[in-house]
Amino acid sequence: MFARAAAFAVVMITLAAFDGAAAQTANQPPDTMAARVEACTPCHGNKGEGTSDVYFPRLAGKPAGYLYNQLLAFRSGRRKYPPMNYLLEFLPDPYLEAMAEYFASEHPPLPQPAPSEVSKDLLAQGELLATSGDAGRNIPACVSCHGPGLTGMQPGIPGLLGLRAAYVSAQLGAWRYGTRTAKSPDCMQLVAGHLTEADVTAVAAWLATRPAPANPAPVPKGTYALPFGCGSQPN
């Protein structure tokens, strides 16, 4: 909690610094998007690669459409995290689009997978759900939406590599309990609603063990068909 409070304080100080900088007319530093998103870097890393806090996700390289949708969700309060809600409250759509495109264009290396702390049986369960799903319980495989390489698809399906198990587990839990939602049809809420606690632990653990592929970039739009409609991925 202290780390998050400290990070939030850094964000606020950075924003205050930008307010002061905006008032300057002489010797003003270049007003680049890289400078503007410095308010994001204490939590998400200098290039959006993530930090040591497992609950702050990697942003770099994700599809710009996905990132933009998340920024809109935080600004509207559909996703609830006070520092993000406050940070984005008064930023206009074009600014959010530019932020999304900035982090989408960054490609720092994916981190090395961390050793898993769950049993081999649970990892095997996670692999089965992620790669094959469970038709009997209406659970599609993760790869059917996030791609065979789990790198996502343009413009709105995120990759799942480079995320810690705790973060993935927290997000699946948020989908299950309705504290995270997306545009209708909210496909992730439908999927997560069929998962048990053990399923969430298993899938999150297995995904965190995946190594970086040769090309971690999201595949182009239309590379594969989604198993059902998803409001976050426009046709």
Side-chain angles (χ1 to χ4, degrees), residues 106-201:
E106 293 290 338
H107 300 286
L110 286 163
Q112 292 294 320
S116 180
E117 298 178 352
V118 306
S119 68
K120 290 183 178 178
D121 287 345
L122 203 56
L123 272 182
Q125 179 185 346
E127 180 177 9
L128 185 63
L129 285 171
T131 59
S132 301
D134 186 337
R137 292 192 290 150
N138 293 320
I139 301 173
C142 300
V143 298
S144 65
C145 291
H146 295 276
L150 295 168
T151 59
M153 180 165 66
Q154 298 284 1
I157 304 296
L160 300 179
L161 302 174
L163 302 173
R164 276 80 163 227
Y167 175 77
V168 175
S169 178
Q171 299 313 303
L172 289 174
W175 292 112
R176 291 179 69 212
Y177 295 109
T179 57
R180 177 174 175 175
T181 60
K183 294 179 180 178
S184 180
D186 192 343
C187 48
M188 272 308 301
Q189 195 164 49
L190 291 172
V191 173
H194 295 293
L195 299 176
T196 66
E197 292 285 350
D199 292 335
V200 169
T201 301

Side-chain angles (χ1 to χ4, degrees), residues 15-44:
L15 287 174
F18 277 120
D19 287 343
Q24 295 178 2
T25 57
N27 299 321
Q28 193 170 16
D31 186 15
T32 63
M33 185 49 66
R36 288 173 179 264
V37 300
E38 284 183 6
C40 309
T41 61
C43 298
H44 294 285

